[in-house]
Amino acid sequence: FVGKAFPQTDLYGLGMTAVAVAAGKEPDALTFKGVRVDVRAHTHLDARLTLLLERLTEPDPERRLADAAVAQEQLRPLLLRYGQGRQAAVALQRLAEASRQTP
């Protein structure tokens, strides 16, 4: 929104993509409460996944998850419970793996 990219910018994009996929809508069709996407209005997901998506789509980069490894750690119990076939979960896991491989 402000023309600056941070490591958390990719996490925001991933979170918004996951919300759009879960909602079955284009990202520009999602509703917002203030500057925050209304994750709960668009999805009916496990409460922990909803919370993770809210943290990924936090408008303030300083309050957003710091990196993909943190997101993966929070996602791990959900992967164990629901399996790795869920698109948002798999995308987060791959991003975390890629971030560990980057020097």
Side-chain angles (χ1 to χ4, degrees), residues 49 52 70-79 88-89 92-93:
L49 183 54
L52 178 58
V70 173
Q72 183 185 27
E73 202 52 44
Q74 292 184 11
L75 185 61
R76 190 175 315 279
L78 295 170
L79 290 173
L92 284 171
Q93 183 176 8

Side-chain angles (χ1 to χ4, degrees), residues 16-25 42-45 49 53 87-88:
M16 288 296 289
T17 301
V19 172
V21 168
K25 296 182 177 186
H42 294 288
T43 63
H44 303 301
L45 302 170
L49 183 54
L53 291 174
Q87 290 179 348

Side-chain angles (χ1 to χ4, degrees), residues 29-88:
L30 298 173
T31 58
F32 285 72
K33 283 186 171 181
V35 295
R36 175 189 291 274
V37 68
D38 193 355
V39 175
R40 295 169 195 263
H42 294 288
T43 63
H44 303 301
L45 302 170
D46 179 280
R48 291 171 293 177
L49 183 54
T50 298
L51 183 59
L52 178 58
L53 291 174
E54 287 174 340
R55 293 195 64 210
L56 288 171
T57 58
E58 164 63 47
D60 182 352
E62 292 182 13
R63 295 181 54 200
R64 197 175 306 144
L65 288 179
D67 60 46
V70 173
Q72 183 185 27
E73 202 52 44
Q74 292 184 11
L75 185 61
R76 190 175 315 279
L78 295 170
L79 290 173
L80 294 173
R81 182 172 180 181
Y82 296 109
Q84 295 186 10
R86 305 230 182 249
Q87 290 179 348

Side-chain angles (χ1 to χ4, degrees), residues 8 42 95:
Q8 296 91 336
H42 294 288
L95 182 60

